[in-house]
Amino acid sequence: MAAIIKNDLGTISFGEDLIANIAGSAACENYGIVGMNSANASDTILQLVGSENMKRGVKVVIGADNKVKIDLHVTLMYGVSFPAVANNAISNVKYRVEEMTGLSVDCVNIYVEAVRV
């Protein structure tokens, strides 16, 4: 499902893949996040083939009212404060998606899948 914004000049449509790329890029910028994990089977296959994309580990759901829900599956660095890294990532992802698309982010969920030493 795509998010659609209509105005006097026309219509803008944002796909889930675009929002996932923005969110994945914003998440990887945060200190403490060292990688993104596969969120589904197709991500795992792309990872095995060697394809690197910014939407790996990101799941986006767009509601009927254009509210966006984002799930991030991440690997964190050993020794960092998990709550601090998660709060920073949530703030950064929410800000980037809302600033770039004009859509409202309802929630950002962080799933810590692994810790890398």
Side-chain angles (χ1 to χ4, degrees), residues 20-64:
N21 279 324
I22 294 169
S25 176
C28 288
E29 292 174 354
N30 292 292
Y31 176 78
I33 295 180
V34 293
M36 303 294 286
N37 292 61
S38 301
N40 54 38
S42 64
D43 285 348
T44 304
I45 293 169
L46 286 174
Q47 186 177 3
L48 290 173
V49 175
S51 175
E52 181 65 32
N53 61 5
M54 295 309 298
K55 66 180 183 171
R56 186 178 75 210
V58 182
K59 181 181 176 194
V60 175
V61 177
I62 301 171

Side-chain angles (χ1 to χ4, degrees), residues 19 23 58-63 65-72 86 89-95 97-98 103-111:
I19 297 169
V58 182
K59 181 181 176 194
V60 175
V61 177
I62 301 171
D65 54 353
N66 282 344
K67 295 246 183 194
V68 179
K69 178 185 173 224
I70 301 170
D71 293 338
L72 300 172
I90 290 168
S91 297
N92 193 28
V93 169
K94 184 175 186 322
Y95 172 77
V97 171
E98 288 180 346
L103 299 172
S104 176
V105 175
D106 189 32
C107 66
V108 178
N109 299 313
I110 306 280
Y111 297 96

Side-chain angles (χ1 to χ4, degrees), residues 6-11:
K6 294 182 181 182
N7 61 21
D8 295 340
L9 300 175
T11 303

